[in-house]
Amino acid sequence: MTVRFAKRNEYVHKMRFEPQASMLLAEAENATEHAYVPYSGKKSAVVLLLEDGALIPGVRVDNASFSLSITALINAFSTAVALCRKDVVAIAFSHAMSLSDRAFIDSHAFGPFNRETERLLVHTGQMGIPTPGDPVDPFETATEDGPMAMARVISERAFIPESNFPVGCLMELDDGRLVPGVNVEHSEWPFILCAERNALGTVASYGLEQPRNIYLSSPTSDKATPCGACRQVMVELAPQATVWMDRGKGPVEKTRADDLLPGYFSGEALRRMI
Ligand code: THU
């Protein structure tokens, strides 16, 4: 693999972060295979490097309603929060960072990050970075309480400096494995990802099949239901999934992803032959 670095940063980068940086960039390129990009065709991915060398991938997830698409960078960070891993030391991109990526990272609560090249960010103050290892296991260990109660406990991981409104989510795959999600907030609200979309994005990043059950919990509200954006993303990625909703002191209710958004926009006419 040829790694090209921005000229102005080449010296610093090679001195401080080689060969780990090249390995990390290669991981980001490999992660693109799981991108869900039926409309854009832009197979992009990001890999977060954690303090112990573990990795968290994030892929681009297109949506028929284009502006609801999840960027690889936001997908990776929201996965990290749901997996309780905020110790991000470096971020590698499969592609040159976009203006949106820069805006997201420049005011990110876990920063600051230095832009070493167009494809590599390193947390300020790092003198070196660890050798990239394996991806963090994204699965929750099932407890006797069942997935609905687990989703409520998982909501405590939400990163909610803006709203103080925790939402937890668990996606149950066909084989029973459970993938978590929480809402992850940012000072720029358009960059906020809800719990549902967080978990769906993680499922995509790890190349898993979309879920058959979605367990959602909003412990501080008796009435919350999935927002419109999450309904649109859920119905595209997991239309047949059963959605279980646990709200505050209210009873658990059950519905289906495609019943949550009657007459939804499927985006069929937009799909590319790729
Ligand atoms: N939120 C979710 O996580 N899921 C929903 O379906 C509704 C809204 C989050 C997003 C934001 O962090 C906070 O709740 C307020 O909108």
Side-chain angles (χ1 to χ4, degrees), residues 243-260:
V243 182
W244 304 80
M245 296 173 290
D246 161 49
R247 282 84 58 100
K249 297 186 183 66
V252 172
E253 280 184 49
K254 175 185 160 185
T255 182
R256 251 173 59 140
D258 53 5
D259 286 338
L260 280 169

Side-chain angles (χ1 to χ4, degrees), residues 159-160 162-168 182-185 192-197 216 224-228 230-231 234:
F159 183 70
I160 44 177
E162 302 292 318
S163 70
N164 199 28
F165 183 75
V167 184
V182 291
N183 47 334
V184 180
E185 296 187 338
I192 291 174
L193 205 61
C194 293
E196 301 91 311
R197 283 178 285 157
L216 267 178
T225 61
C227 74
C230 287
R231 290 176 191 221
M234 278 195 286

Side-chain angles (χ1 to χ4, degrees), residues 70 78 82 92 97 104 130 133 190 194-195 218 268:
I70 306 170
S78 56
M97 261 171 268
F104 174 81
C194 293
S218 55
E268 272 317 311

